[in-house]
Amino acid sequence: SSSVCGVQFELSYQIPSIWFTPYLIAMALTFARSSTAHKAFSSGSRRSRVVVQASTALPKQFKAVKPVGDRVFVKVDKEELKSIGGVLLPSAVAKRPNAGKVVSLGDVTLVKAGDHVVYSKYAGTEVAVESDNFVLLKEDDVIGVLTDGDKISALKPLGDRIMIQSAKAEEKTAGGVLLATESAEKPNFGKVVAVGGGKKKEDSEEWVKPNVTAGQTVMYSKYSGTEFEEGDEQFIVVRESDILAALS
């Protein structure tokens, strides 16, 4: 057998290999080119399916947006163009906020005009009005209301959401080996900081409160909820259905 460019060939005929080598090389190069082309085409096909959602520019003749149904219209906070140390960030690196002020609303019950809210990333429809950015959201996409400036620790979760202060990751293994930050396993438990008011039953006007209370230590599903950082503290807001158990 012979191997050219990583392609294995079996020589089944008793002929001098020196005669066959150019043919093998040609075959291997053709295979490699077609494989590379296939990968490039596949990659290009995948890229072509990625949809970039741009803001919808509101025509100048319209000055107001009135949400319909259970939607809210939020003026998005300005991007942070500087780091904490005052370094000017390029637009590609600038932190894109997912918070803003409720400007107008439809038939909703959990938020009101003027509330400073945090909402789910990639939710809603972005709308550009003159030089300002807005987003049209379903009320259920609003995670909570900021009650003390921009402090996440003072976030009031909405609906059946629960805000948890995540436990610190272990910095050493059981054998005492110091772990790098990226190697430390992220815990999926923590202390309940705040609890939403609950949600309506599907077939009635009755509100059902979450079955957890502030101060409890709970375990929650991995890869669930929305994570936040404030200083050295880590927070996560999850749905009540993502709470697995109470720990004591």
Side-chain angles (χ1 to χ4, degrees):
S1 64
S2 297
S3 176
V4 182
C5 294
V7 181
Q8 196 76 18
F9 294 89
E10 286 289 334
L11 300 180
S12 56
Y13 298 98
Q14 298 297 320
I15 60 175
S17 61
I18 192 170
W19 297 354
F20 206 67
T21 300
Y23 179 69
L24 286 177
I25 293 173
M27 282 184 63
L29 291 175
T30 302
F31 178 84
R33 288 194 190 104
S34 62
S35 177
T36 304
H38 174 70
K39 289 177 182 177
F41 176 78
S42 300
S43 177
S45 299
R46 286 194 295 271
R47 284 197 296 268
S48 67
R49 288 196 292 270
V50 176
V51 178
V52 178
Q53 183 180 1
S55 297
T56 300
L58 193 71
K60 291 184 178 180
Q61 66 264 34
F62 302 111
K63 301 298 180 184
V65 176
K66 172 64 178 174
V68 174
D70 61 342
R71 290 178 173 82
V72 295
F73 193 50
V74 176
K75 184 178 180 181
V76 180
D77 289 347
K78 298 289 186 183
E79 294 182 5
E80 294 181 11
L81 298 178
K82 291 185 178 181
S83 68
I84 294 174
V87 178
L88 187 65
L89 298 172
S91 57
V93 183
K95 183 180 178 182
R96 295 187 63 82
N98 57 318
K101 181 180 178 181
V102 177
V103 176
S104 58
L105 35 80
D107 184 17
V108 299
T109 56
L110 300 179
V111 296
K112 61 183 184 297
D115 280 347
H116 191 199
V117 298
V118 175
Y119 52 87
S120 300
K121 283 186 177 181
Y122 316 116
T125 301
E126 296 179 357
V127 181
V129 182
E130 296 180 350
S131 61
D132 293 319
N133 292 319
F134 296 80
V135 62
L136 265 170
L137 300 162
K138 287 206 165 202
E139 185 180 34
D140 192 51
D141 289 323
V142 179
I143 295 172
V145 178
L146 292 165
T147 59
D148 185 9
D150 293 330
K151 287 186 178 180
I152 288 296
S153 56
L155 180 74
K156 176 186 175 184
L158 296 183
D160 63 340
R161 291 180 172 90
I162 292 105
M163 182 170 171
I164 299 166
Q165 184 176 1
S166 301
K168 301 284 188 182
E170 293 289 341
E171 296 181 352
K172 292 183 179 181
T173 65
V177 178
L178 189 65
L179 293 171
T181 304
E182 59 273 13
S183 303
E185 184 177 356
K186 211 169 189 177
N188 63 323
F189 64 92
K191 180 181 176 183
V192 175
V193 176
V195 180
K199 63 179 181 178
K200 280 185 181 180
K201 284 186 176 180
E202 291 184 5
D203 301 327
S204 71
E205 293 297 310
E206 184 182 354
W207 285 80
V208 181
K209 292 185 177 181
N211 194 27
V212 294
T213 56
Q216 278 187 305
T217 299
V218 296
M219 179 184 294
Y220 51 86
S221 299
K222 284 189 175 182
Y223 315 116
S224 64
T226 304
E227 296 178 331
F228 300 95
E229 289 186 13
E230 187 174 87
D232 295 331
E233 300 297 336
Q234 304 271 344
F235 298 90
I236 185 170
V237 178
V238 300
R239 299 273 189 178
E240 183 185 16
S241 58
D242 292 319
I243 301 291
L244 303 177
L247 306 177
S248 60

